[in-house]
Amino acid sequence: MFDNKEHTNIDQLGEFGLIAHLTKAVECTEKSTTKGIGDDAAVLDFSGDKTLVSTDLLLEGVHFDLRYVPFKHLGYKAVQVNLSDIYAMNGTASQVTFSIGLSSKFPLEAIEELYAGALLACKNYQVDLVGGDTSASAQGLVISVTSIGHAKAEDVVYRSGAKEGDLVCVSGDLGGAYVGLQLLEREKRIFLENPSIQPDLEGKDYIVERQLKPEARRDIIQLLASLGVKPTAMIDVSDGLASEILHICNASDTGCRLYEEKIPIDPMTYDTAREFALDPTVCALNGGEDYELLFTVSQSEYDKLSGQSDISIIGHITDKASGHELISKSGKVHPIKAQGWNAFGSKD
């Protein structure tokens, strides 16, 4: 989605010229960055901390649709969803690399917007962009982001540490990104049928932003540290609450019991889901792309967390034999099944 009428053909710059053009505004400020862009590899120094690394690949037509995703939002989201993985390990994100494969249909101005979004995410999260690559692509736009971070060995949190009796907590609210996607897809279909009709997104800013410009929850990691709370297990909610709690339980060899009435759902998400004849709880369980943090803590931490408005306690960890259960508002027991995003197109 790019409306600039003044287009510059990327062929005029060539690969090295494009890289030089896009990276001229990059400035490294993290003390752990010894050498950034400009050599064969970046040089980082974490002074004894454990190094955390995560990579995501985003493909046009699979992970994003340029008919309604602005390039600047896409660049921003591509970086922040990768940073979310570092925060999910209870770490500090400090560097990213940003690589793109693009076809000749994209003018320089579009790629500038994409890069501007990525750099804005880096600025907002105090992260250095230290490298990347560009390549021609025959399949539309491809984005690959690698995030790098660090943490003291004793602070790293894995998925595998949940224990029977631990409380299950989640930050923010869930389902908004999925419902926002349904709204954008509906407006796309209407536009394709009748291009004279403008998108109707009035009053839906929150859920549209949840889809187009989500924010990684670095603030929750900082909050937990200030409270003196270290989660026993943690994961970010990229594929839906159901998939993520099962990841924790499978890695920790436990079961779980969640309560539907405790799952945080924003009123706009709830009402819009109903407009689409969707169950808001199902959207929260299986929608994905919320990038909230799902984590477990010892019951002894309850008093520290119970008064935090941005953290909800939604259940507890059980023994493995008890299975994975959701208790509905009416008190019925339902098995939790992973039905969220699957990169190869089928449902789990």
Side-chain angles (χ1 to χ4, degrees):
M1 192 170 85
F2 188 73
D3 297 324
N4 192 328
K5 295 181 180 179
E6 296 297 327
H7 292 170
T8 303
N9 193 315
I10 292 176
D11 289 344
Q12 296 175 233
L13 293 174
E15 179 184 1
F16 298 130
L18 176 62
I19 293 172
H21 180 81
L22 294 175
T23 59
K24 62 185 178 183
V26 173
E27 180 181 358
C28 292
T29 60
E30 283 295 301
K31 63 180 182 180
S32 56
T33 304
T34 301
K35 176 64 177 179
I37 292 172
D39 222 305
D40 291 292
V43 180
L44 312 177
D45 182 2
F46 294 120
S47 301
D49 282 2
K50 295 295 184 182
T51 303
L52 310 174
V53 181
S54 180
T55 296
D56 278 319
L57 184 65
L58 303 175
L59 307 175
E60 182 182 355
V62 177
H63 302 99
F64 58 87
D65 189 331
L66 290 175
R67 283 172 289 194
Y68 56 74
V69 178
F71 279 91
K72 192 169 184 178
H73 285 70
L74 179 58
Y76 189 94
K77 181 176 180 178
V79 169
Q80 81 79 31
V81 302
N82 208 266
L83 300 181
S84 182
D85 290 329
I86 302 298
Y87 302 135
M89 300 293 291
N90 203 35
T92 298
S94 49
Q95 289 88 14
V96 296
T97 65
F98 191 84
S99 299
I100 52 176
L102 60 156
S103 67
S104 58
K105 72 177 181 180
F106 297 106
L108 174 63
E109 289 76 16
I111 304 307
E112 286 177 333
E113 284 290 294
L114 181 73
Y115 221 76
L119 290 177
L120 180 60
C122 290
K123 178 180 178 181
N124 287 354
Y125 286 87
Q126 285 85 57
V127 168
D128 286 346
L129 195 155
V130 296
D133 195 13
T134 62
S135 175
S137 168
Q139 302 297 324
L141 182 61
V142 178
I143 304 172
S144 178
V145 180
T146 296
S147 57
I148 304 160
H150 56 96
K152 296 185 183 303
E154 62 269 24
D155 291 337
V156 178
V157 175
Y158 300 91
R159 299 176 182 181
S160 56
K163 300 290 190 296
E164 184 179 351
D166 283 356
L167 304 175
V168 178
C169 307
V170 70
S171 66
D173 56 80
L174 302 175
Y178 178 76
V179 177
L181 178 62
Q182 304 315 300
L183 182 62
L184 289 166
E185 287 285 347
R186 182 191 70 184
E187 295 305 309
K188 181 187 76 172
R189 289 192 297 269
I190 293 173
F191 176 78
L192 292 176
E193 292 172 4
N194 189 345
S196 65
I197 299 178
Q198 293 299 306
D200 181 14
L201 304 174
E202 185 174 355
K204 304 294 187 181
D205 293 0
Y206 179 70
I207 58 174
V208 170
E209 185 167 293
R210 291 287 283 175
Q211 170 58 219
L212 295 182
K213 190 176 173 288
E215 299 286 348
R217 297 311 304 262
R218 177 183 60 171
D219 59 320
I220 296 297
I221 299 305
Q222 294 169 338
L223 172 63
L224 292 174
S226 71
L227 294 172
V229 174
K230 180 188 174 184
T232 53
M234 188 155 54
I235 191 172
D236 71 331
V237 184
S238 56
D239 298 331
L241 174 61
S243 291
E244 312 307 358
I245 190 61
L246 290 178
H247 281 313
I248 285 179
C249 289
N250 290 336
S252 301
D253 205 30
T254 65
C256 68
R257 174 169 280 205
L258 304 185
Y259 296 87
E260 181 185 15
E261 64 181 359
K262 300 294 186 181
I263 297 174
I265 300 175
D266 184 83
M268 183 183 293
T269 299
Y270 188 96
D271 293 342
T272 308
R274 288 301 188 192
E275 291 174 19
F276 279 92
L278 298 170
D279 183 331
T281 300
V282 173
C283 294
L285 285 170
N286 300 318
E289 290 202 295
D290 290 306
Y291 298 103
E292 297 293 344
L293 292 175
L294 177 69
F295 57 96
T296 58
V297 297
S298 169
Q299 289 190 31
S300 62
E301 308 286 16
Y302 175 81
D303 289 340
K304 295 179 182 179
L305 297 179
S306 61
Q308 300 300 323
S309 60
D310 212 17
I311 294 176
S312 300
I313 299 173
I314 62 173
H316 60 272
I317 296 296
T318 62
D319 66 292
K320 186 176 182 179
S322 297
H324 313 101
E325 299 177 335
L326 175 72
I327 311 304
S328 72
K329 294 176 183 177
S330 62
K332 294 182 179 180
V333 179
H334 302 275
I336 297 174
K337 297 181 179 180
Q339 297 176 329
W341 167 254
N342 183 311
F344 295 99
S346 62
K347 297 296 185 183
D348 291 333

